[in-house]
Amino acid sequence: MEKIYVLDTNVILHDPQSIFSFEDNQVIIPMIVLEEVDQQKKRQDSVGRNARVFSRYLDDLREKYSLSEGAQLDNGGILKTEITVPELNRLPSLFDETKADNFILETALKVEEETDKPVILVSKDINMRIKASIINSIEAENYETDAVDINELYSGIADIDLSSSEIDQFYNQEGLEVDGLDITQDLMANEVVNLEDKLGSSQSALGIYEAQREMIRPFIFSSRDVWGINARNREQRGAFELLLNDDIKLVTLVGKAGTGKTLLALASGLHKVLEENKYKRLIVTRPIMPMGKDIGYLPGDKREKLAPWMKPIFDNMEFLLGGRDKNAASALADLEERDLLEMEAITHIRGRSIPNQFMIVDEAQNLTPHEVKTIVTRVGENTKVILTGDPYQIDHPYLDSDSNGLTYLVERMKDKEITGHITLVKGERSELAELGASCL
């Protein structure tokens, strides 16, 4: 049976293509939603961009159809705008008449009165869905077409119990073929494998699964010092194994604060660019989440504008460079002047082609799935991309731990032979930092 979906503003600002995600059903955009989208279009972040993209979609449809009567979508669905702003006479008296959310609820009730088809309100706002449930006749759903259950997120590491003789064989023959092992789980390409003696002895080994050869091989890259940094746990060793392998073009590192995500990525980038000369430049970027003012309003040159948001990157870079140069700030400036290092806002990456570079995207949990796709598709020949982030620390108003671009990318790319992922679990910054990340 055909359904009617009434969209909340946050769905559109999260994904401007959401109107095409409801198959051959009817999608209704309340007038108050158009007003709220219009108020966001001048922003210079992803929210503003999504508002502008959505407006262009509607403008294209407007040239062919009457939006108030219904526009035919390519997927067979119909898009309509509800141009009347209803009075709040269908809602309980306690509902605030000045709130846009309540006008959207009222629109859903109005549509429901006029049809015998199921009407569903779609919102990413949990409070909006709660209010809809209070009004028993309104069915409400979260927008989840790109959602990932964070509790089921691929960790990038598998524990396998073997006999001691098989672990010896792993070391002596520099690997084990998976077909000859008694294991039940399916391994993903470039998944880190922790081999342990099933009889409980202390014998163990770390390896990585090579899907093409269908074998688990010992680590090659992670046993050495990388720009003064040594791995402190098995997950960090696994991260270095992925970061330093040039055949792996995309690496995702997920973990809470203090687990070393950014530091490991930066150390690997410096090593690859300055010591091995494998890439011509290290690019470090992160989303700019405006706090009242966008980057364009701040005084100074680009570096001074970026400083408030890029300070964690500057701190990590100065720590790494400080181990080799007493004047770390000067060394950092020198790398930028020689065009070996570029620090850029993520908004300036769009539209570029990026070949032969080691690119780190920090705080990637603040990116939408569409933005992550934009970044990955900018990658040129011989470029490696690393995305790091903590899905539990999201500053974006329309993302959460299940719907952000980082977790979306991890799940979508986990079985590809040129990608790798590891979830870092142990904090190594300090005892206090680990305590704070775990308890606060």
PDB file of all heavy atoms in Angstrom, residues 100-118:
ATOM      1  N   ALA A 100       8.309  25.626  15.287  1.00  0.00           N
ATOM      2  CA  ALA A 100       8.154  25.067  13.944  1.00  0.00           C
ATOM      3  C   ALA A 100       7.831  23.580  13.993  1.00  0.00           C
ATOM      4  O   ALA A 100       7.064  23.076  13.161  1.00  0.00           O
ATOM      5  CB  ALA A 100       9.436  25.306  13.139  1.00  0.00           C
ATOM      6  N   ASP A 101       8.413  22.875  14.971  1.00  0.00           N
ATOM      7  CA  ASP A 101       8.149  21.433  15.078  1.00  0.00           C
ATOM      8  C   ASP A 101       6.658  21.145  15.188  1.00  0.00           C
ATOM      9  O   ASP A 101       6.152  20.167  14.623  1.00  0.00           O
ATOM     10  CB  ASP A 101       8.861  20.846  16.307  1.00  0.00           C
ATOM     11  CG  ASP A 101      10.348  20.641  16.073  1.00  0.00           C
ATOM     12  OD1 ASP A 101      10.812  20.945  14.953  1.00  0.00           O
ATOM     13  OD2 ASP A 101      11.031  20.180  17.000  1.00  0.00           O
ATOM     14  N   ASN A 102       5.958  21.993  15.920  1.00  0.00           N
ATOM     15  CA  ASN A 102       4.539  21.752  16.132  1.00  0.00           C
ATOM     16  C   ASN A 102       3.718  22.005  14.866  1.00  0.00           C
ATOM     17  O   ASN A 102       2.688  21.367  14.647  1.00  0.00           O
ATOM     18  CB  ASN A 102       4.030  22.599  17.289  1.00  0.00           C
ATOM     19  CG  ASN A 102       4.670  22.185  18.613  1.00  0.00           C
ATOM     20  OD1 ASN A 102       5.110  21.044  18.765  1.00  0.00           O
ATOM     21  ND2 ASN A 102       4.753  23.106  19.555  1.00  0.00           N
ATOM     22  N   PHE A 103       4.175  22.928  14.034  1.00  0.00           N
ATOM     23  CA  PHE A 103       3.517  23.123  12.741  1.00  0.00           C
ATOM     24  C   PHE A 103       3.723  21.907  11.837  1.00  0.00           C
ATOM     25  O   PHE A 103       2.839  21.555  11.050  1.00  0.00           O
ATOM     26  CB  PHE A 103       4.046  24.384  12.060  1.00  0.00           C
ATOM     27  CG  PHE A 103       3.448  25.653  12.606  1.00  0.00           C
ATOM     28  CD1 PHE A 103       4.167  26.443  13.475  1.00  0.00           C
ATOM     29  CD2 PHE A 103       2.160  26.036  12.258  1.00  0.00           C
ATOM     30  CE1 PHE A 103       3.622  27.612  13.992  1.00  0.00           C
ATOM     31  CE2 PHE A 103       1.603  27.202  12.767  1.00  0.00           C
ATOM     32  CZ  PHE A 103       2.337  27.989  13.642  1.00  0.00           C
ATOM     33  N   ILE A 104       4.899  21.263  11.944  1.00  0.00           N
ATOM     34  CA  ILE A 104       5.142  20.053  11.163  1.00  0.00           C
ATOM     35  C   ILE A 104       4.245  18.925  11.652  1.00  0.00           C
ATOM     36  O   ILE A 104       3.658  18.178  10.853  1.00  0.00           O
ATOM     37  CB  ILE A 104       6.629  19.657  11.252  1.00  0.00           C
ATOM     38  CG1 ILE A 104       7.506  20.753  10.650  1.00  0.00           C
ATOM     39  CG2 ILE A 104       6.881  18.324  10.542  1.00  0.00           C
ATOM     40  CD1 ILE A 104       8.989  20.551  10.873  1.00  0.00           C
ATOM     41  N   LEU A 105       4.097  18.801  12.960  1.00  0.00           N
ATOM     42  CA  LEU A 105       3.182  17.803  13.515  1.00  0.00           C
ATOM     43  C   LEU A 105       1.744  18.066  13.065  1.00  0.00           C
ATOM     44  O   LEU A 105       1.007  17.140  12.694  1.00  0.00           O
ATOM     45  CB  LEU A 105       3.258  17.818  15.049  1.00  0.00           C
ATOM     46  CG  LEU A 105       4.517  17.254  15.693  1.00  0.00           C
ATOM     47  CD1 LEU A 105       4.542  17.594  17.178  1.00  0.00           C
ATOM     48  CD2 LEU A 105       4.614  15.754  15.491  1.00  0.00           C
ATOM     49  N   GLU A 106       1.365  19.328  13.091  1.00  0.00           N
ATOM     50  CA  GLU A 106       0.007  19.698  12.664  1.00  0.00           C
ATOM     51  C   GLU A 106      -0.204  19.370  11.187  1.00  0.00           C
ATOM     52  O   GLU A 106      -1.273  18.901  10.782  1.00  0.00           O
ATOM     53  CB  GLU A 106      -0.219  21.191  12.910  1.00  0.00           C
ATOM     54  CG  GLU A 106      -1.591  21.703  12.508  1.00  0.00           C
ATOM     55  CD  GLU A 106      -2.675  21.341  13.506  1.00  0.00           C
ATOM     56  OE1 GLU A 106      -2.349  20.832  14.591  1.00  0.00           O
ATOM     57  OE2 GLU A 106      -3.860  21.540  13.196  1.00  0.00           O
ATOM     58  N   THR A 107       0.808  19.592  10.376  1.00  0.00           N
ATOM     59  CA  THR A 107       0.714  19.253   8.951  1.00  0.00           C
ATOM     60  C   THR A 107       0.498  17.762   8.765  1.00  0.00           C
ATOM     61  O   THR A 107      -0.322  17.330   7.948  1.00  0.00           O
ATOM     62  CB  THR A 107       1.985  19.694   8.211  1.00  0.00           C
ATOM     63  OG1 THR A 107       2.144  21.112   8.332  1.00  0.00           O
ATOM     64  CG2 THR A 107       1.915  19.325   6.733  1.00  0.00           C
ATOM     65  N   ALA A 108       1.248  16.950   9.526  1.00  0.00           N
ATOM     66  CA  ALA A 108       1.087  15.494   9.432  1.00  0.00           C
ATOM     67  C   ALA A 108      -0.336  15.081   9.807  1.00  0.00           C
ATOM     68  O   ALA A 108      -0.945  14.218   9.157  1.00  0.00           O
ATOM     69  CB  ALA A 108       2.101  14.798  10.330  1.00  0.00           C
ATOM     70  N   LEU A 109      -0.898  15.709  10.844  1.00  0.00           N
ATOM     71  CA  LEU A 109      -2.273  15.409  11.250  1.00  0.00           C
ATOM     72  C   LEU A 109      -3.270  15.828  10.170  1.00  0.00           C
ATOM     73  O   LEU A 109      -4.247  15.126   9.885  1.00  0.00           O
ATOM     74  CB  LEU A 109      -2.596  16.122  12.564  1.00  0.00           C
ATOM     75  CG  LEU A 109      -1.958  15.532  13.824  1.00  0.00           C
ATOM     76  CD1 LEU A 109      -2.164  16.474  15.004  1.00  0.00           C
ATOM     77  CD2 LEU A 109      -2.543  14.155  14.129  1.00  0.00           C
ATOM     78  N   LYS A 110      -3.022  16.979   9.558  1.00  0.00           N
ATOM     79  CA  LYS A 110      -3.904  17.478   8.497  1.00  0.00           C
ATOM     80  C   LYS A 110      -3.896  16.521   7.312  1.00  0.00           C
ATOM     81  O   LYS A 110      -4.956  16.182   6.760  1.00  0.00           O
ATOM     82  CB  LYS A 110      -3.451  18.868   8.066  1.00  0.00           C
ATOM     83  CG  LYS A 110      -4.225  19.462   6.895  1.00  0.00           C
ATOM     84  CD  LYS A 110      -3.723  20.862   6.591  1.00  0.00           C
ATOM     85  CE  LYS A 110      -4.462  21.473   5.404  1.00  0.00           C
ATOM     86  NZ  LYS A 110      -4.163  20.772   4.137  1.00  0.00           N
ATOM     87  N   VAL A 111      -2.697  16.074   6.899  1.00  0.00           N
ATOM     88  CA  VAL A 111      -2.588  15.139   5.775  1.00  0.00           C
ATOM     89  C   VAL A 111      -3.311  13.834   6.111  1.00  0.00           C
ATOM     90  O   VAL A 111      -4.000  13.249   5.271  1.00  0.00           O
ATOM     91  CB  VAL A 111      -1.105  14.878   5.436  1.00  0.00           C
ATOM     92  CG1 VAL A 111      -0.975  13.751   4.409  1.00  0.00           C
ATOM     93  CG2 VAL A 111      -0.450  16.143   4.918  1.00  0.00           C
ATOM     94  N   GLU A 112      -3.164  13.403   7.364  1.00  0.00           N
ATOM     95  CA  GLU A 112      -3.771  12.141   7.787  1.00  0.00           C
ATOM     96  C   GLU A 112      -5.296  12.217   7.716  1.00  0.00           C
ATOM     97  O   GLU A 112      -5.974  11.229   7.372  1.00  0.00           O
ATOM     98  CB  GLU A 112      -3.320  11.801   9.205  1.00  0.00           C
ATOM     99  CG  GLU A 112      -3.688  10.402   9.653  1.00  0.00           C
ATOM    100  CD  GLU A 112      -3.096  10.089  11.014  1.00  0.00           C
ATOM    101  OE1 GLU A 112      -3.304  10.887  11.944  1.00  0.00           O
ATOM    102  OE2 GLU A 112      -2.412   9.072  11.140  1.00  0.00           O
ATOM    103  N   GLU A 113      -5.858  13.380   8.029  1.00  0.00           N
ATOM    104  CA  GLU A 113      -7.308  13.562   7.965  1.00  0.00           C
ATOM    105  C   GLU A 113      -7.840  13.477   6.538  1.00  0.00           C
ATOM    106  O   GLU A 113      -8.983  13.091   6.304  1.00  0.00           O
ATOM    107  CB  GLU A 113      -7.705  14.918   8.560  1.00  0.00           C
ATOM    108  CG  GLU A 113      -7.626  14.982  10.070  1.00  0.00           C
ATOM    109  CD  GLU A 113      -8.060  16.333  10.590  1.00  0.00           C
ATOM    110  OE1 GLU A 113      -8.379  17.224   9.758  1.00  0.00           O
ATOM    111  OE2 GLU A 113      -8.075  16.524  11.821  1.00  0.00           O
ATOM    112  N   GLU A 114      -6.990  13.842   5.583  1.00  0.00           N
ATOM    113  CA  GLU A 114      -7.434  13.977   4.196  1.00  0.00           C
ATOM    114  C   GLU A 114      -7.201  12.729   3.354  1.00  0.00           C
ATOM    115  O   GLU A 114      -7.495  12.732   2.161  1.00  0.00           O
ATOM    116  CB  GLU A 114      -6.725  15.180   3.553  1.00  0.00           C
ATOM    117  CG  GLU A 114      -7.058  16.513   4.219  1.00  0.00           C
ATOM    118  CD  GLU A 114      -6.171  17.646   3.719  1.00  0.00           C
ATOM    119  OE1 GLU A 114      -5.204  17.348   2.995  1.00  0.00           O
ATOM    120  OE2 GLU A 114      -6.458  18.807   4.050  1.00  0.00           O
ATOM    121  N   THR A 115      -6.643  11.664   3.949  1.00  0.00           N
ATOM    122  CA  THR A 115      -6.335  10.467   3.173  1.00  0.00           C
ATOM    123  C   THR A 115      -6.589   9.221   4.010  1.00  0.00           C
ATOM    124  O   THR A 115      -6.624   9.281   5.249  1.00  0.00           O
ATOM    125  CB  THR A 115      -4.863  10.485   2.705  1.00  0.00           C
ATOM    126  OG1 THR A 115      -4.620   9.337   1.889  1.00  0.00           O
ATOM    127  CG2 THR A 115      -3.908  10.468   3.890  1.00  0.00           C
ATOM    128  N   ASP A 116      -6.750   8.103   3.305  1.00  0.00           N
ATOM    129  CA  ASP A 116      -6.858   6.825   3.998  1.00  0.00           C
ATOM    130  C   ASP A 116      -5.556   6.036   3.912  1.00  0.00           C
ATOM    131  O   ASP A 116      -5.482   4.881   4.320  1.00  0.00           O
ATOM    132  CB  ASP A 116      -8.003   5.990   3.412  1.00  0.00           C
ATOM    133  CG  ASP A 116      -7.833   5.759   1.905  1.00  0.00           C
ATOM    134  OD1 ASP A 116      -6.862   6.294   1.315  1.00  0.00           O
ATOM    135  OD2 ASP A 116      -8.679   5.050   1.328  1.00  0.00           O
ATOM    136  N   LYS A 117      -4.506   6.668   3.384  1.00  0.00           N
ATOM    137  CA  LYS A 117      -3.197   6.028   3.288  1.00  0.00           C
ATOM    138  C   LYS A 117      -2.419   6.229   4.591  1.00  0.00           C
ATOM    139  O   LYS A 117      -2.629   7.220   5.294  1.00  0.00           O
ATOM    140  CB  LYS A 117      -2.404   6.609   2.114  1.00  0.00           C
ATOM    141  CG  LYS A 117      -3.078   6.423   0.761  1.00  0.00           C
ATOM    142  CD  LYS A 117      -2.335   7.181  -0.324  1.00  0.00           C
ATOM    143  CE  LYS A 117      -3.082   7.062  -1.657  1.00  0.00           C
ATOM    144  NZ  LYS A 117      -2.418   7.853  -2.727  1.00  0.00           N
ATOM    145  N   PRO A 118      -1.513   5.323   4.917  1.00  0.00           N
ATOM    146  CA  PRO A 118      -0.678   5.508   6.117  1.00  0.00           C
ATOM    147  C   PRO A 118       0.193   6.761   5.985  1.00  0.00           C
ATOM    148  O   PRO A 118       0.818   6.979   4.953  1.00  0.00           O
ATOM    149  CB  PRO A 118       0.179   4.239   6.153  1.00  0.00           C
ATOM    150  CG  PRO A 118      -0.534   3.246   5.299  1.00  0.00           C
ATOM    151  CD  PRO A 118      -1.242   4.027   4.246  1.00  0.00           C
TER     152      PRO A 118
END
